[in-house]
Amino acid sequence: MDRVNFRTQIITRHLTNHHTSTTNLLQTATCLNYSPPELSEPSSHFDTNALRKLLDGESMDEIDHMFNLMIQSDLFCRRERGGKVFISPDFNEPMEKQREMTMRRIGYLKEQGVFDGWLTSKGGEAELLGFTRANSCGVFDHSLGIKLGVHFFLWGGAIQFMGTKRHHDKWLRPTETYEVIGCFAMTELGHGSNVRGIETVTTYDANTQEFIINTPCESAQKYWIGGAANDATHAAVFSQLEINGVNEGVHAFIAQIRDGNGNVCKNVRIADCGHKIGLNGVDNGRIWFDNLRIPRENLLNSVADVSPDGKYLSAIKDPLQRFAAFMAPLTSGRVTIAASSMNTTKKGLATAVRYSLSRRAFSLKPNEPEVLLLDYPSHQRRLLPLIAKTYALNFASECLKTIYVNRTQESIKIVHVVSSALKATLTWHSMRTLQECREACGGQGVKTENHVGQLKSEYDVQLTFEGDNNVLMQQVSKALFMEFIAAKKKTKPIEGLGLEHLNKPAPVLPLNLTSSTLRTTQFQTDIFCLRERDLLHRFVSEVSQRQAQGENKEHIFTMTYQIAEDLGRAFSDRFVLQTFLDVEATVPAGSLKNVLGLMRSMYTTIVMEEDASFLRYGYLSTDNAAVVRKEVLKLCSELRPHALSLVSSFGIPDALLGPIGFDWVASNSWSSVKHV
Amino acid sequence: MAQTNQVLVTQRSNVRTIILNRPEQLNVFNLKMTCQLLELLQAYEEDPTVKLIIFKGEGRAFCAGGDIKAVVDDINKGSWKQGASLFSTGYKVHYLKATYTKTQVIILRGIAIGSGAALAIHGTFQVVTDNTVFALPEAALGSFPDAGSSYYLSRLPGFFGEYVGLTCVRLDGAEMLACGLASHYVPLEKLSSLEDALCEANTGDPKIINNIINNFSNKNPKLKEKSPYYRLKTINRCFSKRTVEEIISALKDADKNMDDWISMTIQTLKKALPTSLKISLRSIREGRLQGIGQCLIREYRIICTVLQGVFCRDFFEGYRALLVDKDKNPKWEPSKLEFVSKRMVDYYFVPLADKGWEDLKLPARSNLTSHAISKL
């Protein structure tokens, strides 16, 4: 366009009231106006509140209460962008300041009574409440969620589950009131996921009835200990216990590491882990113990104890079993990580999808308006399957919480396997989604205040802490292998973990798939079960063959990782599908059920399209894989009209999303610039 | 009766002044006036010659809210739905005002109560003055703060909105300015010159209008010595609590000496209708996470449940005790907070199970600018 003409138009537009609609479309098209997706998108076909209730269940009120508390406090960095209030930590502040702000926010939440009864109330409901509170804080800032998680789930959990009455009476209440600030000293420089390999050593002195904790070498320094660098007064220290020269394995002890004034205790040395790619609001530290003496009562003695005269006492003789029983209750960490990764995913997706419903790029023909990002099939393919997957995984995460809080002695194995599989699957999904959202938002995605980019580095560590994802997935296949072998040995049908389908004859899949077959629950269940079943059989036969050749079991599991990885994913996907179906079954026929069905089909189809194992092992022929691929396209266009309602049903308040999800023209206008 | 004169309009070049003109009834608005307001607002939005709209009230009051007597009369005649139509039309007016694309200046002389207050708050600029009084007495009347109050109250600093909505406290102009309910404070004697200046400027540009009003403004009107706004810290600590019961017990703990303000606040809460308090609190909390449209739809469900009177007749009791018999001694049922269960409150937040009843249908907006979506 003629430059002079162009400038004149802009100036005219500024001079005249830009609200008055002009009939000349060409003139108004020279400058973009933001139009909220609420106006252009069809109104929801289903009750968005009812869908949210399927995600958040009974916790909805508590979640919203937490959001209310955070949004109304100045400590949560309220800022106005484009006429709306947003809250988000100031990531531009130095690490020290971010840490200070985290603690001040905790102080505020404590004042509000958020922590009352967190550890001292009993029962599943109280446990769920704890999850809800920590995770709601995590929606605002991962650092805040993690600081609470370390203090309540790790330190508090260690006292609750590894300790006995004397520890509960002494430590739980002061933990709720933050008179005691706890940390969880397990990981060392030299050992992380392999907890049994840690090198810290504790011995016992019967004369003084004290334990002596020692860091014998540099690789035994405690590492990444959240809260240790600044704030923690006490630590649950994990260490090898040596009694009379015999190593009794890993045990946990309570050690005071700082006094009431915040000074590091004698015989303890603490250093900072320094600046990190994210989570800088958490003060991760390193700890060395120089023959630190602690009272005998500080051994967390739920599984084993040492008598005053120095005898080692435990009902469980096998050290391996003892270790397993000891560690079992600590799955709560994985449960919250899985749940919190869903919140992050929802936050990123809601922002990116809202942006894609207001941002346009390129005209398909001259003089036509530019096309809305989410009207491009390729953009739909990038974002819409992630929405469906997020719903599917979120249902699974809720199911995991229920399994966890209703756990019994018998179900501990299930809790372990499911939490391992889901922690890995959900956090991987979270990172992948955030990366896709970042790219889908273009340049705006790299701007910190828009969240999607920043969240990647804030949450990346989820893939590693509380068990490296790859290690966890290997444990899943290993557990499935054990279950299978155990059932075979007893010549009993296999039970639990949803594996019952293995007792039935193998499902037969139709030779030629059609769009309608792909959408039946029968087919979806069949192919997911077939894949799990076949991979488990293949895994068992490969391991058995190698065993027959006399190979060592651990070595075998190391060598068969490829199939083990495929199996881990197959288990997780089938489990997720099952929980999805369970949720769907609770919904009466109608528009909500229809959209759930659509999302379930999207979830199963996308898994088939993306996971190479379907082609690799022949569950899909190349022809059928082509049908699957085509179906993805179709499902995308059918989900497209629901996109806005689906991300609204996530229930993340506007204030916690990125400003580009809203009026990004106003939030970037010259008048919004702070002129110095 | 010159019914048509209850809403007056004056026209000066591109400025329209809408005057609520029912001074004997403190400009309480009835269905007819509400319909007129709706029509005027819709017409002005389309009309390119209109740039600025000024709202004010004739006489001592800006507006004392909706005509409750007419509503109760309708209900007594057997039609609660007829009564509800005042609310549905009124809510559409509030929605339009809150999302309006043209600049509005509301001049709050005298009292602005209940939905009259809402009429003032949903708009671009609120000019308060020496005799402005703001109050939401609904909880005392057996109702709850509606007309979009859950939207703007929840956006006041900290938990001041919960305090204002639950305690029926009266705020003056200075307090409104301090807490963000008003944008400007202009002394009484300067109001007419302000109006003249606005008309002369003949513009809809919010920045210019803001500057003009600033020229007449008192930037720092003195808060009265005992203003609750000085108690914001205590208010935040207490009114942030999860439930009304917890709020009251936090107030009791807040100050062992129980100064006047605290004991008065507790008194008011104890006197108010228990069901109302719980509904109001939940409504404000939900409103904080919603847009103005969602807020009005929720409030419409609540008000219809109140008017329908199936679950509870307190609204009629409040009307009797405060406006008819004036014994100021309503007998609430349930009479105590602890008797109002969560389930009872839930009833007010779901669509009514009444044949033919529908959720509030808000007028479609063709152009929702960001400043229109959120005001405070």
Side-chain angles (χ1 to χ4, degrees):
Chain A
M1 193 193 292
D2 177 354
R3 274 204 76 76
V4 180
N5 194 6
F6 181 65
R7 294 252 349 127
T8 321
Q9 278 183 16
I10 291 199
I11 292 166
T12 321
R13 211 192 61 85
H14 279 291
L15 291 175
T16 56
N17 186 335
H18 66 277
H19 293 316
T20 44
S21 51
T22 339
T23 40
N24 191 336
L25 280 173
L26 261 184
Q27 269 185 356
T28 52
T30 50
C31 210
L32 288 173
N33 263 329
Y34 171 81
S35 170
E38 277 79 3
L39 285 184
S40 47
E41 290 298 297
S43 57
S44 180
H45 296 281
F46 56 88
D47 180 357
T48 47
N49 217 37
L51 180 54
R52 186 186 167 202
K53 201 144 191 205
L54 294 180
L55 292 179
D56 291 336
E58 295 305 315
S59 311
M60 221 158 100
D61 289 349
E62 187 61 28
I63 295 172
D64 286 349
H65 180 65
M66 294 296 299
F67 288 155
N68 262 279
L69 287 179
M70 294 192 283
I71 290 170
Q72 288 312 98
S73 162
D74 292 332
L75 287 172
F76 291 76
C77 304
R78 294 163 61 87
R79 55 191 97 172
E80 213 210 276
R81 293 283 183 278
K84 282 178 88 82
V85 169
F86 293 93
I87 57 168
S88 157
D90 185 351
F91 292 112
N92 199 29
E93 280 175 339
M95 179 179 84
E96 290 75 14
K97 180 79 185 162
Q98 290 187 44
R99 292 174 175 181
E100 183 199 322
M101 286 310 294
T102 311
M103 277 317 277
R104 287 179 61 191
R105 287 169 192 140
I106 289 176
Y108 165 75
L109 295 172
K110 187 185 87 175
E111 282 281 295
Q112 299 298 331
V114 169
F115 309 143
D116 294 347
W118 189 320
L119 297 167
T120 48
S121 310
K122 297 262 176 299
E125 216 166 292
E127 281 187 320
L128 271 182
L129 209 56
F131 286 146
T132 304
R133 289 172 182 174
N135 285 335
S136 306
C137 292
V139 178
F140 167 76
D141 178 22
H142 197 205
S143 287
L144 182 59
I146 290 301
K147 266 299 247 200
L148 294 178
V150 167
H151 182 68
F152 287 102
F153 296 127
L154 295 181
W155 156 261
I159 306 284
Q160 274 179 316
F161 303 126
M162 300 176 160
T164 50
K165 186 164 183 305
R166 66 176 184 227
H167 305 110
H168 300 166
D169 293 347
K170 185 167 178 188
W171 302 101
L172 291 183
R173 184 65 198 147
T175 299
E176 276 177 9
T177 58
Y178 271 83
E179 282 159 72
V180 161
I181 304 179
C183 67
F184 190 77
M186 182 188 267
T187 298
E188 295 175 357
L189 177 60
H191 292 85
S193 291
N194 179 17
V195 179
R196 283 202 290 140
I198 58 172
E199 298 170 287
T200 303
V201 178
T202 299
T203 50
Y204 182 69
D205 179 353
N207 295 325
T208 58
Q209 301 196 4
E210 285 172 320
F211 286 108
I212 304 162
I213 306 177
N214 194 40
T215 305
C217 51
E218 283 300 356
S219 63
Q221 64 178 277
K222 293 294 175 186
Y223 215 99
W224 294 129
I225 311 309
N230 286 343
D231 303 317
T233 59
H234 292 73
V237 182
F238 288 76
S239 157
Q240 306 289 349
L241 174 60
E242 269 184 33
I243 297 290
N244 302 322
V246 179
N247 184 358
E248 301 289 356
V250 175
H251 290 70
F253 306 83
I254 296 172
Q256 181 162 6
I257 56 172
R258 280 194 181 83
D259 64 17
N261 300 322
N263 303 312
V264 176
C265 294
K266 218 181 124 197
N267 298 325
V268 176
R269 283 172 289 148
I270 293 180
D272 205 308
C273 287
H275 194 267
K276 306 182 289 282
I277 61 165
L279 266 188
N280 282 304
V282 178
D283 52 322
N284 292 89
R286 307 182 276 152
I287 313 174
W288 292 257
F289 298 100
D290 303 321
N291 291 316
L292 176 72
R293 286 177 167 263
I294 56 165
R296 186 185 70 91
E297 292 75 27
N298 284 18
L299 168 66
L300 293 170
N301 59 343
S302 68
V303 173
D305 208 349
V306 172
S307 67
D309 60 347
K311 283 208 184 63
Y312 185 77
L313 313 159
S314 176
I316 309 173
K317 294 288 165 238
D318 177 18
L320 254 179
Q321 264 184 26
R322 199 157 59 216
F323 180 71
F326 186 56
M327 297 301 288
L330 286 183
T331 37
S332 71
R334 291 204 285 269
V335 179
T336 48
I337 291 168
S340 122
S341 74
M342 285 297 97
N343 282 333
T344 328
T345 314
K346 289 187 274 191
K347 199 168 155 177
L349 260 179
T351 304
V353 168
R354 290 190 62 91
Y355 185 59
S356 75
L357 289 169
S358 66
R359 169 71 192 231
R360 295 169 181 274
F362 301 107
S363 309
L364 299 185
K365 286 182 194 152
N367 299 330
E368 263 193 357
E370 289 178 289
V371 177
L372 206 55
L373 293 187
L374 203 63
D375 284 338
Y376 284 102
S378 57
H379 213 76
Q380 293 173 8
R381 171 62 186 85
R382 287 165 69 184
L383 294 178
L384 299 182
L386 295 173
I387 298 182
K389 229 173 170 174
T390 301
Y391 271 99
L393 298 180
N394 206 142
F395 293 148
S397 150
E398 286 304 298
C399 170
L400 169 63
K401 275 191 212 161
T402 317
I403 295 178
Y404 176 78
V405 297
N406 297 321
R407 67 194 177 278
T408 59
Q409 208 54 43
E410 293 74 49
S411 72
I412 278 187
K413 199 188 299 164
I414 296 177
V415 178
H416 174 71
V417 176
V418 175
S419 67
S420 302
L422 291 184
K423 185 265 183 182
T425 309
L426 272 60
T427 54
W428 269 327
H429 168 72
S430 171
M431 278 310 282
R432 190 196 144 190
T433 305
L434 290 174
Q435 180 62 31
E436 197 63 72
C437 290
R438 207 299 288 148
E439 293 176 48
C441 290
Q444 291 296 334
V446 298
K447 200 169 159 165
T448 308
E449 73 167 16
N450 291 330
H451 296 321
V452 280
Q454 180 71 24
L455 285 176
K456 285 195 303 168
S457 45
E458 291 298 318
Y459 280 86
D460 197 332
V461 68
Q462 295 180 115
L463 279 57
T464 297
F465 62 19
E466 295 283 311
D468 169 84
N469 279 4
N470 290 291
V471 174
L472 290 178
M473 281 309 246
Q474 281 170 24
Q475 290 188 13
V476 172
S477 347
K478 219 159 135 182
L480 295 178
F481 171 84
M482 303 294 197
E483 284 295 294
F484 187 86
I485 295 295
K488 212 171 164 188
K489 261 191 191 151
K490 288 188 225 154
T491 59
K492 272 190 176 163
I494 189 160
E495 257 178 50
L497 293 167
L499 294 173
E500 290 82 359
H501 67 92
L502 276 124
N503 303 317
K504 293 191 234 158
V508 181
L509 302 177
L511 278 180
N512 294 310
L513 291 181
T514 62
S515 165
S516 53
T517 325
L518 280 173
R519 299 195 189 196
T520 61
T521 49
Q522 182 68 51
F523 170 76
Q524 293 162 358
T525 317
D526 281 353
I527 192 163
F528 275 47
C529 286
L530 182 72
R531 166 176 170 234
E532 183 185 32
R533 167 194 198 102
D534 181 62
L535 286 169
L536 182 50
H537 285 150
R538 283 172 193 262
F539 187 49
V540 169
S541 89
E542 188 169 343
V543 174
S544 311
Q545 266 175 29
R546 284 174 180 261
Q547 267 178 321
Q549 287 160 15
E551 278 182 59
N552 152 301
K553 213 165 166 187
E554 292 311 314
H555 179 250
I556 297 173
F557 285 127
T558 312
M559 300 311 289
T560 53
Y561 74 93
Q562 283 181 316
I563 199 154
E565 279 175 5
D566 286 342
L567 173 60
R569 276 200 305 275
F571 167 79
S572 168
D573 293 343
R574 196 265 309 145
F575 183 90
V576 170
L577 173 60
Q578 192 53 53
T579 57
F580 200 122
L581 289 167
D582 292 345
V583 169
E584 232 179 305
T586 64
V587 177
S591 48
L592 179 56
K593 204 181 185 87
N594 294 344
V595 84
L596 284 171
L598 204 55
M599 285 204 286
R600 176 189 17 89
S601 293
M602 175 61 103
Y603 168 69
T604 49
T605 314
I606 208 75
V607 167
M608 286 187 265
E609 199 208 10
E610 287 177 352
D611 193 310
S613 68
F614 286 89
L615 273 169
R616 185 181 297 137
Y617 302 104
Y619 316 129
L620 287 176
S621 64
T622 47
D623 283 349
N624 283 340
V627 178
V628 164
R629 196 167 167 77
K630 232 180 179 167
E631 189 64 11
V632 170
L633 220 70
K634 225 170 128 198
L635 283 162
C636 280
S637 66
E638 284 176 48
L639 264 184
R640 165 68 185 84
H642 302 293
L644 180 64
S645 322
L646 289 175
V647 297
S648 302
S649 303
F650 285 159
I652 311 280
D654 295 356
L656 285 142
L657 300 179
I660 39 153
F662 303 90
D663 191 343
W664 40 268
V665 178
S667 58
N668 286 289
S669 67
W670 177 248
S671 63
S672 72
V673 178
K674 282 215 178 81
H675 308 287
V676 191
Chain B
M1 267 289 273
Q3 288 278 321
T4 41
N5 288 343
Q6 292 181 349
V7 176
L8 297 175
V9 178
T10 63
Q11 179 174 342
R12 273 162 82 178
S13 46
N14 299 109
V15 182
R16 302 288 178 277
T17 305
I18 297 180
I19 307 161
L20 302 174
N21 183 32
R22 219 185 160 195
E24 291 82 39
Q25 283 87 9
L26 300 175
N27 296 327
V28 157
F29 56 81
N30 53 30
L31 185 56
K32 174 121 194 186
M33 291 165 79
T34 316
C35 291
Q36 263 177 286
L37 279 178
L38 188 62
E39 278 165 30
L40 284 172
L41 285 168
Q42 278 167 339
Y44 291 161
E45 194 160 46
E46 294 303 311
D47 185 348
T49 66
V50 177
K51 291 179 182 166
L52 172 69
I53 302 174
I54 300 175
F55 284 86
K56 58 181 193 173
E58 184 61 39
R60 295 188 292 131
F62 171 73
C63 174
D67 193 340
I68 298 295
K69 187 178 174 307
V71 174
V72 175
D73 287 348
D74 278 334
I75 296 176
N76 287 337
K77 277 184 226 150
S79 169
W80 69 267
K81 279 184 195 161
Q82 184 66 39
S85 61
L86 175 64
F87 291 91
S88 63
T89 318
Y91 288 9
K92 283 174 195 162
V93 170
H94 296 306
Y95 181 66
L96 221 55
K97 286 188 83 244
T99 60
Y100 215 55
T101 48
K102 291 184 182 176
T103 311
Q104 309 163 62
V105 174
I106 296 107
I107 298 175
L108 282 122
R109 208 168 30 209
I111 60 169
I113 292 182
S115 45
L119 198 65
I121 308 303
H122 302 299
T124 331
F125 299 110
Q126 296 75 19
V127 177
V128 289
T129 183
D130 309 327
N131 65 355
T132 308
V133 178
F134 168 101
L136 301 173
E138 285 94 338
L141 254 168
S143 183
F144 71 100
D146 68 328
S149 304
S150 65
Y151 179 80
Y152 68 76
L153 285 179
S154 61
R155 281 154 178 82
L156 298 184
F159 296 85
F160 198 66
E162 274 93 336
Y163 166 71
V164 172
L166 262 53
T167 60
C168 317
V169 64
R170 285 166 171 249
L171 300 177
D172 62 25
E175 288 165 330
M176 289 177 73
L177 186 72
C179 75
L181 279 168
S183 60
H184 300 81
Y185 187 108
V186 175
L188 209 46
E189 67 273 12
K190 289 190 185 167
L191 281 180
S192 62
S193 353
L194 166 67
E195 272 185 68
D196 291 340
L198 288 172
C199 291
E200 267 161 41
N202 199 27
T203 171
D205 185 334
K207 258 182 246 144
I208 300 175
I209 291 171
N210 186 31
N211 288 338
I212 295 173
I213 311 176
N214 269 338
N215 291 339
F216 294 90
S217 291
N218 175 356
K219 301 287 183 321
N220 282 309
K222 217 171 144 39
L223 280 177
K224 59 177 181 263
E225 199 188 322
K226 294 209 161 165
S227 171
Y229 201 68
Y230 288 127
R231 300 305 195 93
L232 194 54
K233 231 175 127 182
T234 312
I235 288 173
N236 283 343
R237 201 164 60 235
C238 301
F239 283 82
S240 57
K241 293 288 182 270
R242 219 172 251 108
T243 62
V244 181
E245 290 91 329
E246 284 176 53
I247 289 175
I248 294 178
S249 93
L251 280 165
K252 286 179 182 162
D253 293 345
D255 182 4
K256 295 287 170 247
N257 307 325
M258 287 291 252
D259 70 22
D260 289 356
W261 177 79
I262 291 203
S263 50
M264 221 173 66
T265 309
I266 296 174
Q267 273 292 306
T268 321
L269 288 173
K270 289 203 159 159
K271 232 179 147 185
L273 164 62
T275 316
S276 280
L277 290 177
K278 292 201 174 182
I279 293 172
S280 308
L281 183 63
R282 176 157 158 198
S283 179
I284 294 168
R285 297 275 164 86
E286 289 193 6
R288 188 163 280 137
L289 309 178
Q290 295 175 328
I292 177 70
Q294 291 165 298
C295 285
L296 287 165
I297 290 171
R298 169 174 31 75
E299 291 172 2
Y300 185 67
R301 288 179 181 181
I302 306 175
I303 196 72
C304 285
T305 313
V306 168
L307 298 179
Q308 191 192 24
V310 171
F311 297 111
C312 167
R313 308 284 303 168
D314 284 327
F315 171 66
F316 306 97
E317 173 62 10
Y319 174 74
R320 180 202 64 75
L322 281 109
L323 299 177
V324 183
D325 300 344
K326 302 198 174 161
D327 59 15
K328 293 194 180 167
N329 192 18
K331 298 274 178 285
W332 304 128
E333 182 56 43
S335 60
K336 284 205 167 93
L337 283 166
E338 54 264 40
F339 301 146
V340 184
S341 68
K342 185 177 175 295
R343 251 191 77 210
M344 288 160 79
V345 176
D346 286 343
Y347 282 127
Y348 292 82
F349 290 79
V350 292
L352 272 70
D354 186 294
K355 216 171 162 241
W357 182 88
E358 275 187 347
D359 262 327
L360 181 68
K361 294 265 178 304
L362 294 167
R365 312 292 289 133
S366 59
N367 184 10
L368 219 55
T369 61
S370 72
H371 83 263
I373 291 172
S374 153
K375 280 287 159 348
L376 288 156

